[in-house]
Amino acid sequence: MPSDMAAMSGLHLTKIAFGCADFDDLRRRMETRAERGEPILLHTRYRPKREAEMEGASLYWISQHKYGLRQPILGFQEGENGHCLIRLSPEMIMVEPLPRRAHQGWRYLAGEDAPRDLETIEGGEGIPSAMQAELAALGLL
C-alpha cells in the first residue's frame, strides 16, 4: 500500500496524456498555462458519479503506457453543453512509473492501487522522466 498522502484519499482518477510526447511535454504544457494565469481545467463529457468519495484526490496521468505524474484535484464544475470541468492544481507530482493500459476518457483508481510519489521512494527525486521509465523497466526503481 502506498505510504504517501495521495493514497490517503479513497478514490482518484486516471487519464491518458493525449497529444503529449512524454511527461516532460505534459509538465511544460501545464506550467505554460499556470504562467499565463489560466486555470487548469480538464474538460470531460461525464462528471464522476463518485465525486463525494474524491476529497483530497488526484488525477494520475498516463503516457507511454505508464503512470508518471499526478495533479491534485481542486474540484468539479459544470461546463458547456452539460460537460464537466475538473479543476486541477498547477502542482505536478512525479509518481513511480508503473505500467498502465491505455483507455479512453478517465477511469477511477483506488487509493491502495495508486502509484507512490517518487519523493517517498529513496533516490527517486530529481530523476528525469525518461530515465525513471528506464530504471523502472529494469526493476531498479
Side-chain angles (χ1 to χ4, degrees), residues 84-102:
C84 176
L85 301 175
I86 302 173
R87 288 183 294 119
L88 299 172
S89 167
E91 178 184 22
M92 300 199 75
I93 302 157
M94 298 188 84
V95 299
E96 62 184 325
L98 298 177
R100 176 70 171 148
R101 289 180 142 182

Side-chain angles (χ1 to χ4, degrees), residues 6 9 11-17 23 26 30 33 40-44 48 54 56-62 67-76 86-89 91-95 103 105-109 114-115 117:
S9 174
L11 198 61
H12 303 281
L13 295 178
T14 66
K15 178 108 173 81
I16 303 295
F23 292 114
L26 176 64
M30 295 298 175
R33 286 184 187 179
I40 299 176
L41 299 172
L42 176 65
H43 298 258
T44 182
M54 300 180 68
S58 289
L59 177 81
Y60 283 79
W61 289 102
I62 301 165
Y67 291 110
L69 292 171
R70 73 176 176 89
Q71 283 182 274
I73 296 173
L74 300 177
F76 301 88
I86 302 173
R87 288 183 294 119
L88 299 172
S89 167
E91 178 184 22
M92 300 199 75
I93 302 157
M94 298 188 84
V95 299
H103 57 73
W106 54 263
R107 297 287 183 269
Y108 292 113
L109 174 66
D117 291 349

